[in-house]
Amino acid sequence: VTERDCQTSHRSVTLPGLVNISAFVPNVSNVITGPADLMEISRVYLESGFTHCQFMARSQRGPIITDLPSLRAAYSAVQGSSFTDYSFTVAGTAYNSNNIADSAEQVTALFLPIRELKNKISTVSDLLQAWPLDKPVIAEAKTADLASLLLLASLQNRAIHITGVSNAEDLALIMKVKEKDYKVTCDVNIHALFINQDDYPEAVFLPLPEDQDFFWNNLSSIDAFSIGSLPTAIAQITGNKVENGQGIKEALPLLLSAVNEGKLSVDDIILRLHDNPVKIFKLPQQQAAVEIDLDFSFRSNKRWSPFTKGGLTGGVERVISKDETVVLSGDVVASEHDGKLIVSQVQPIVAPQASKPLAAITNESAII
Amino acid sequence: VTERDCQTSHRSVTLPGLVNISAFVPNVSNVITGPADLMEISRVYLESGFTHCQFMARSQRGPIITDLPSLRAAYSAVQGSSFTDYSFTVAGTAYNSNNIADSAEQVTALFLPIRELKNKISTVSDLLQAWPLDKPVIAEAKTADLASLLLLASLQNRAIHITGVSNAEDLALIMKVKEKDYKVTCDVNIHALFINQDDYPEAVFLPLPEDQDFFWNNLSSIDAFSIGSLPTAIAQITGNKVENGQGIKEALPLLLSAVNEGKLSVDDIILRLHDNPVKIFKLPQQQAAVEIDLDFSFRSNKRWSPFTKGGLTGGVERVISKDETVVLSGDVVASEHDGKLIVSQVQPIVAPQASKPLAAITNESAII
Ligand SMILES: [Zn+2]
Ligand SMILES: [Zn+2]
Ligand SMILES: [Zn+2]
Ligand SMILES: [Zn+2]
Ligand SMILES: [Zn+2]
Ligand SMILES: [Zn+2]
Ligand SMILES: [Zn+2]
Ligand SMILES: [Zn+2]
């Protein structure tokens, strides 16, 4: 529970329901711990203004959703456990290019994980070749692997989205490719815009201050913001307790604080946490709105974060889904509280354990 | 001196003077040892049927020609010391993109060395940006660095030549890019077509047998053959004596043996050791011919090579330059023997120590 002041003089704005295209839910496909984890994490997302999560198909150890069976397990695990809309991605690996396309109808994107595909150009090529041309691809890739991927995508003339761009050089390369009109888009993790290696020298995966300057000076080339696994990685490397839902609560307040400092506009946020994510990943329209209090003094003290000490201004006042208030003053308030899937217009597969197809649930307007 | 039989029944063919586009002459810019080394190496080249060497601008330790001063030193060192035509390349490094273009008129190509530019995408991009669009680029690059380079070249819509392709995956990537009509060309080191990691397991830089199969099955995608530094690297890793001119003598006999085995045609050799090299690097026309004895039993025992034991069939009978026999039965026979530069239609710079511009020598028909 986030405590807040409620002075009537505070400025407020309304955003559409936000989308995190790189939601890190490492146990999402685990039938035992998946449901509880997802319920906790998705609740935090909803309370934080996010109404759609696209799940990364990997944990910190590696890919977790790589084929129809693991996808079915994931659907089964999350069924009835998510406070937000969600969609899955399927991870490409060195071993599944021959059957990856089987999952195409069940997910919003092919996910290319950085570690497994490092230096594996022909594998990546095979995966892209196997994946339907009109289906999105979301990839983690840096430096030379990023360049390889951009080359392969351009050779196929296919769209590709790079998630979690983490340094100036990579963004500069993406900008060069964009100039040539290739269908490349990218996102930067929100935390990567605000904390850097000066803050945590041990976190070499963080940008340098000069990388951040480059990000801010080239915001127009950053199509989306995301949360990703970066907050979890920061907690881990700093020896803090790693919890489910790391980094979600402060994500929007970080951006809103930048709005308050004049570094960003509210439209910049809407474009990068709603419009572009929806467009790039062809997500269904939602009837959701997020009322923002720009003057709210944000403080989250449940999970460790670099911002536990406070100092952020701006937060979620209310989340409305289909004319119903589902979050108020930072907490889920809907009367039904059983953690059902809100909507999934993505055609889901029938989970083996589920007698009732998820598609049936889709048409219910019930939330939580 | 290579000894040979001279039965009249032997089949002979005539080739144009051959070109090695990746001549490894590590001391070429060294004013002390450069002249003697170059004289020895270029003599071996000429005796082996090569009449033009394009020098790689690196030694085994790193780049050796990187700017006008080092290029001047190189021109000065080789002046009057080469038995073949030659041209220089200039190496791009992490530090010379701002002045690399100064050397463009003095060299046939920008040389991008693999080790120095590994993972340095923005450096490579800066180098390509600085280099005149109509001037060739020759690059060593593998896997992801190769892909990066191909992407950067395609973004500039510029020609690029990859030298020493060493595995099937890299060639497959190049083939994919060629399909899209990018201006990419490539060569494979001659030794890489004939010896592999089964022969020398410690030489992990050699192709695997399956890589070689891929090379032979996709010969039409290999624009050129080269010698490169591979023979030197093999001698080194096998603990054999490393000598100047390693691998040159057996280069053509290896290919001619393949002709004898029906794996290659003489035209395949002409295309890849003359026509394409001349076209790709815009080299001047030469009046040179190489008479080949297809039945000659080749044996070279001066330098160690994987083929010291013999077993190769085919060799150089005679080299003719401007109607003059300059090599006969494997040895330089020209009366003048002072190791002059044959021709250089590449506009050379005035070496600091030279009172007479090299251009003047260019028009002399004298050889050696
Ligand atoms: Zn709460
Ligand atoms: Zn308030
Ligand atoms: Zn929407
Ligand atoms: Zn307020
Ligand atoms: Zn000799
Ligand atoms: Zn003979
Ligand atoms: Zn010629
Ligand atoms: Zn003979």
Side-chain angles (χ1 to χ4, degrees):
Chain A
V1 180
T2 309
E3 301 305 326
R4 53 191 62 203
D5 64 325
C6 277
Q7 303 167 18
T8 48
S9 66
H10 284 184
R11 295 163 301 150
S12 71
V13 290
T14 300
L15 309 179
L18 303 179
V19 178
N20 180 19
I21 52 182
S22 281
F24 183 61
V25 188
N27 293 319
V28 73
S29 64
N30 185 313
V31 288
I32 311 299
T33 59
D37 280 7
L38 200 263
M39 197 174 293
E40 185 182 1
I41 294 172
S42 66
R43 174 192 279 272
V44 177
Y45 268 115
L46 191 62
E47 290 173 354
S48 305
F50 289 83
T51 56
H52 188 114
C53 290
Q54 175 172 269
F55 298 130
M56 296 168 78
R58 70 158 175 84
S59 69
Q60 277 177 299
R61 291 186 318 280
I64 49 172
I65 302 174
T66 58
D67 54 14
L68 278 180
S70 51
L71 193 54
R72 277 196 199 98
Y75 267 111
S76 165
V78 302
Q79 196 178 356
S81 303
S82 181
F83 283 82
T84 69
D85 277 16
Y86 61 81
S87 58
F88 284 99
T89 58
V90 61
T93 73
Y95 312 103
N96 70 354
S97 66
N98 58 330
N99 63 5
I100 192 86
D102 299 345
S103 309
E105 293 299 309
Q106 324 295 342
V107 298
T108 38
L110 168 64
F111 175 77
L112 298 177
I114 191 166
R115 215 170 37 186
E116 279 65 31
L117 300 174
K118 189 160 185 55
N119 251 332
K120 297 212 171 71
I121 291 171
S122 68
T123 298
V124 172
S125 175
D126 290 347
L127 287 164
L128 291 180
Q129 206 74 49
W131 194 244
L133 250 189
D134 60 332
K135 290 289 290 188
V137 177
I138 182 167
E140 300 176 300
K142 294 176 195 299
T143 57
D145 292 296
L146 170 62
S148 309
L149 194 56
L150 294 174
L151 175 70
L152 294 174
S154 84
L155 289 177
Q156 283 192 31
N157 198 28
R158 81 175 304 147
I160 193 154
H161 180 85
I162 309 300
T163 188
V165 175
S166 61
N167 62 66
E169 202 169 40
D170 286 353
L171 182 57
L173 180 66
I174 290 168
M175 288 164 64
K176 272 202 192 78
V177 175
K178 281 179 174 224
E179 275 171 33
K180 287 276 283 192
D181 246 353
Y182 291 138
K183 303 160 177 171
V184 60
T185 52
C186 71
D187 70 68
V188 168
N189 289 161
I190 293 167
H191 286 70
L193 290 166
F194 298 97
I195 54 177
N196 58 48
Q197 289 187 37
D198 274 6
D199 302 316
Y200 300 101
E202 65 273 45
V204 292
F205 46 79
L206 282 174
L208 297 169
E210 50 267 38
D211 293 316
Q212 283 187 332
D213 290 345
F214 192 82
F215 292 160
W216 284 102
N217 290 333
N218 294 283
L219 211 56
S220 64
S221 297
I222 299 172
D223 303 278
F225 296 142
S226 68
I227 296 179
S229 63
L230 186 60
T232 302
I234 299 168
Q236 201 157 43
I237 206 155
T238 53
N240 286 284
K241 192 174 170 203
V242 175
E243 288 176 275
N244 278 326
Q246 208 85 43
I248 301 167
K249 279 266 162 157
E250 72 257 27
L252 188 56
L254 280 166
L255 296 173
L256 294 172
S257 298
V259 169
N260 279 315
E261 290 168 31
K263 296 173 74 180
L264 207 62
S265 72
V266 169
D267 282 347
D268 283 331
I269 299 177
I270 295 174
L271 184 68
R272 293 174 181 79
L273 282 180
H274 176 271
D275 299 357
N276 283 343
V278 164
K279 192 160 67 181
I280 296 167
F281 293 100
K282 305 174 183 179
L283 303 179
Q285 282 303 322
Q286 296 183 303
Q287 283 183 15
V290 181
E291 286 180 19
I292 294 300
D293 179 344
L294 281 173
D295 297 307
F296 171 65
S297 185
F298 174 84
R299 175 177 288 275
S300 173
N301 40 28
K302 179 151 188 289
R303 291 168 191 77
W304 175 85
S305 99
F307 309 97
T308 310
K309 57 185 187 302
L312 301 183
T313 304
V316 173
E317 183 75 40
R318 183 196 300 264
V319 178
I320 297 151
S321 175
K322 296 182 181 148
D323 301 324
E324 202 185 337
T325 293
V326 291
V327 169
L328 190 61
S329 296
D331 275 315
V332 167
V333 293
S335 50
E336 291 177 53
H337 207 279
D338 53 352
K340 272 184 198 153
L341 164 69
I342 299 176
V343 193
S344 176
Q345 292 182 22
V346 178
Q347 189 65 37
I349 52 174
V350 181
Q353 295 97 321
S355 56
K356 183 181 171 192
L358 293 189
I361 300 173
T362 295
N363 296 322
E364 296 178 13
S365 62
I367 148 167
I368 6 186
Chain B
V1 180
T2 306
E3 299 306 327
R4 53 192 61 204
D5 64 326
C6 279
Q7 303 168 19
T8 48
S9 64
H10 284 183
R11 295 163 302 150
S12 72
V13 290
T14 301
L15 309 179
L18 305 179
V19 178
N20 180 19
I21 53 182
S22 282
F24 183 61
V25 188
N27 293 319
V28 72
S29 65
N30 186 314
V31 288
I32 309 300
T33 59
D37 282 6
L38 201 262
M39 197 173 293
E40 184 180 2
I41 294 173
S42 65
R43 175 193 279 271
V44 177
Y45 268 114
L46 190 63
E47 290 174 353
S48 305
F50 290 82
T51 55
H52 188 114
C53 291
Q54 175 173 269
F55 298 131
M56 296 169 79
R58 71 159 175 83
S59 69
Q60 278 176 297
R61 292 185 319 281
I64 49 172
I65 302 175
T66 58
D67 54 13
L68 279 179
S70 51
L71 192 55
R72 277 197 198 98
Y75 267 110
S76 165
V78 302
Q79 197 179 355
S81 303
S82 181
F83 283 81
T84 70
D85 277 16
Y86 61 81
S87 57
F88 284 99
T89 58
V90 61
T93 73
Y95 312 103
N96 70 354
S97 65
N98 58 329
N99 63 6
I100 192 85
D102 299 346
S103 308
E105 292 299 310
Q106 323 295 343
V107 298
T108 38
L110 167 64
F111 175 77
L112 298 177
I114 190 166
R115 215 170 38 187
E116 279 65 31
L117 300 174
K118 190 159 185 53
N119 252 332
K120 297 212 172 73
I121 291 171
S122 67
T123 297
V124 172
S125 174
D126 289 348
L127 286 165
L128 291 179
Q129 206 73 50
W131 193 245
L133 250 189
D134 60 332
K135 289 290 289 188
V137 177
I138 182 167
E140 299 176 299
K142 292 175 196 299
T143 58
D145 292 297
L146 171 61
S148 308
L149 194 56
L150 295 174
L151 175 70
L152 293 173
S154 83
L155 289 177
Q156 284 191 30
N157 198 29
R158 81 174 305 146
I160 193 155
H161 180 85
I162 309 299
T163 188
V165 175
S166 62
N167 63 66
E169 202 169 40
D170 286 354
L171 182 56
L173 180 67
I174 290 168
M175 287 164 64
K176 272 203 191 76
V177 175
K178 282 181 172 220
E179 274 171 33
K180 287 276 282 192
D181 246 355
Y182 291 138
K183 303 162 179 167
V184 60
T185 52
C186 71
D187 69 68
V188 168
N189 289 161
I190 292 166
H191 286 70
L193 290 167
F194 297 97
I195 54 177
N196 58 49
Q197 289 187 36
D198 274 6
D199 302 316
Y200 299 101
E202 65 272 44
V204 292
F205 47 79
L206 282 174
L208 297 168
E210 51 266 38
D211 293 317
Q212 283 187 333
D213 290 344
F214 192 83
F215 292 160
W216 284 101
N217 291 333
N218 294 282
L219 211 58
S220 64
S221 298
I222 299 171
D223 303 278
F225 296 141
S226 67
I227 297 179
S229 61
L230 186 60
T232 303
I234 299 167
Q236 200 157 42
I237 206 155
T238 54
N240 285 285
K241 192 173 171 203
V242 175
E243 288 176 276
N244 277 327
Q246 207 85 42
I248 301 167
K249 279 266 162 158
E250 71 258 26
L252 187 56
L254 279 166
L255 296 173
L256 295 172
S257 297
V259 170
N260 279 316
E261 291 169 30
K263 295 173 73 178
L264 208 61
S265 72
V266 168
D267 282 347
D268 284 331
I269 299 177
I270 295 173
L271 184 68
R272 292 174 182 79
L273 281 180
H274 177 270
D275 298 357
N276 282 343
V278 164
K279 193 160 66 182
I280 295 167
F281 293 99
K282 305 173 183 179
L283 303 178
Q285 283 303 323
Q286 296 183 300
Q287 284 183 18
V290 181
E291 285 180 18
I292 296 299
D293 179 346
L294 282 172
D295 298 307
F296 172 65
S297 185
F298 174 84
R299 176 177 288 274
S300 173
N301 41 26
K302 179 150 188 287
R303 290 168 192 77
W304 176 85
S305 99
F307 309 97
T308 310
K309 59 187 186 299
L312 301 182
T313 305
V316 174
E317 183 74 41
R318 184 195 300 263
V319 178
I320 298 151
S321 176
K322 296 182 182 150
D323 302 323
E324 201 184 338
T325 294
V326 291
V327 170
L328 190 61
S329 297
D331 274 313
V332 167
V333 293
S335 50
E336 291 178 54
H337 207 281
D338 53 353
K340 272 184 200 156
L341 164 70
I342 299 175
V343 193
S344 175
Q345 291 183 24
V346 177
Q347 189 64 39
I349 51 176
V350 180
Q353 295 97 321
S355 57
K356 180 182 175 193
L358 294 189
I361 300 172
T362 295
N363 296 323
E364 294 180 13
S365 62
I367 149 168
I368 3 184

